[in-house]
Amino acid sequence: MHSTTDEVDLRLRVARRTTGAEGVVVLDLRDPSAADLPEWSAGAHVDLHLPGGLTRQYSLCGDPADRSVWRIAVLREPESRGGSAHVHEGLGEGDEIAVRGPRNHFALEPSKRYVFIAGGIGITPILPMIDAAQAAGADWELHYGGRSLRSMAFLEALEEATGSRVTLHPQDEVGLIDLDRLIGTPQPDTLVYCCGPEPLLLAVEQRCAAWPAGTLHVERFAPKDVGEPVLTGAFEVELAVSGLSLTVPPEKSVLQVVEEAGISVLSSCTEGTCGTCETTVLSGEVDHRDSLLTPAEQAANDTMFICVSRAACPKLVLEL
């Protein structure tokens, strides 16, 4: 669907580790043999496979033209389930780590004008987007919010590169971004890209509800609340390639049932945010419970993320 690059599994070395801001560490990852890394485009992310079976997704925030390095920035989450804690405390220069990617479900589409809105570490995928917009000759502006200037990463790079197009909104000094003023009224020939914490994303989605369909593009770090499933009972999935027909009970995901039947499916986050387990739907209506597809993409009913999405009908036919 969105992803244009074949994903690969790599073992990369932490070539450089720096502090990006208060609570933010920036890692430059390189191939130990100095080989070029796979191509990627603005909005792409990679999976880090961490100890204890943890997999975490981080946006690439360097220069796509530099194939020698992948740069990520990791916020130390106070409520960390172990991922960011390991990166901050257990991953040093010279260490090697398993990485999978790149994957892009947040690609920058061509437009005459962009409004970029970033909250906290959500600045990471926006940085290469700004460079791409600039290179394309598009008009753009960035509104970047954070708890305080100390907590906001990459400020120096933004100051050097962009000047007056960038507005900083440190919450302790100026409060929250004034979204009503910024995007309260639809603007012609403009796309809105937003990444950050859930309250910001929800607020931006509300303001953009009146804009033309397809205007708003968001990327979530955590799954959004999608409520109760459409069907509370079991449903059937027919696997067209494998010739299997399986029953998915209420307490299991499609992914779990498919894997238990011996069918290998790539998966990563298991919460509908990374896009790894995307599966083609040949027939049936899907109860989309992911945090990736746009309303139009969901309505097409031709793809689903089987780690979280379910059936909205008695039977789905999948290309597995």
Side-chain angles (χ1 to χ4, degrees):
M1 186 193 69
H2 303 261
S3 211
T4 54
T5 311
D6 289 332
E7 297 173 37
V8 295
D9 287 296
L10 299 168
R11 191 150 188 90
L12 301 182
R13 180 172 293 150
V14 180
R16 187 162 174 260
R17 176 189 161 115
T18 55
T19 300
E22 189 175 78
V24 177
V25 66
V26 180
L27 303 181
D28 284 359
L29 305 174
R30 297 180 185 269
D31 188 294
S33 67
D36 274 358
L37 298 175
E39 291 184 24
W40 62 280
S41 58
H45 68 257
V46 295
D47 297 344
L48 259 59
H49 295 289
L50 302 167
L54 293 173
T55 301
R56 295 291 181 266
Q57 288 76 41
Y58 297 107
S59 298
L60 293 170
C61 57
D63 177 4
D66 184 355
R67 299 279 301 279
S68 71
V69 63
W70 280 350
R71 174 171 291 170
I72 60 170
V74 181
L75 173 68
R76 176 67 156 95
E77 297 279 4
E79 305 297 317
S80 173
R81 292 172 291 172
S84 69
H86 175 77
V87 173
H88 275 253
E89 296 162 16
L91 204 54
E93 289 186 1
D95 289 344
E96 292 189 6
I97 187 163
V99 183
R100 180 175 181 82
R103 186 182 313 118
N104 199 342
H105 287 273
F106 193 43
L108 188 70
E109 296 182 4
S111 181
K112 292 180 181 177
R113 183 170 177 272
Y114 300 95
V115 176
F116 298 115
I117 302 171
I121 200 65
I123 189 63
T124 49
I126 301 294
L127 289 173
M129 289 186 178
I130 287 171
D131 291 340
Q134 187 94 346
D139 186 19
W140 64 270
E141 59 185 273
L142 166 67
H143 294 266
Y144 178 18
R147 293 188 315 278
S148 65
L149 287 175
R150 291 191 315 280
S151 71
M152 296 166 68
F154 303 111
L155 294 185
E156 286 180 19
L158 286 168
E159 281 173 14
E160 289 169 13
T162 55
S164 61
R165 294 176 186 262
V166 175
T167 306
L168 302 180
H169 302 261
Q171 193 175 335
D172 61 347
E173 295 179 30
V174 300
L176 297 174
I177 300 173
D178 185 352
L179 295 174
D180 288 326
R181 181 186 63 78
L182 184 60
I183 53 172
T185 305
Q187 298 159 30
D189 301 321
T190 302
L191 294 182
V192 179
Y193 278 78
C194 180
C195 185
E198 189 65 13
L200 173 66
L201 298 179
L202 290 174
V204 169
E205 285 175 336
Q206 288 166 3
R207 304 314 191 282
C208 285
W211 289 56
T215 294
L216 175 62
H217 301 259
V218 301
E219 183 163 64
R220 284 179 154 83
F221 304 135
K224 62 184 176 183
D225 183 3
V226 290
E228 293 299 311
V230 174
L231 294 182
T232 54
F235 57 91
E236 300 298 308
V237 288
E238 181 183 320
L239 308 186
V241 177
S242 310
L244 297 176
S245 188
L246 307 171
T247 300
V248 181
E251 72 277 6
K252 289 186 178 180
S253 68
V254 177
L255 176 64
Q256 286 173 303
V257 170
V258 167
E259 287 183 331
E260 286 170 4
I263 307 300
S264 179
V265 179
L266 285 175
S267 66
S268 179
C269 74
T270 67
E271 56 185 23
T273 57
C274 78
T276 308
C277 67
E278 184 170 9
T279 300
T280 298
V281 179
L282 300 176
S283 74
E285 189 179 343
V286 180
D287 175 12
H288 292 286
R289 306 179 63 76
D290 64 273
S291 303
L292 287 158
L293 296 177
T294 66
E297 289 165 345
Q298 291 187 347
N301 262 317
D302 57 3
T303 190
M304 70 184 289
F305 299 100
I306 60 173
C307 66
V308 290
S309 293
R310 305 184 69 79
C313 62
K315 179 178 168 182
L316 291 174
V317 181
L318 306 179
E319 193 177 343
L320 285 174

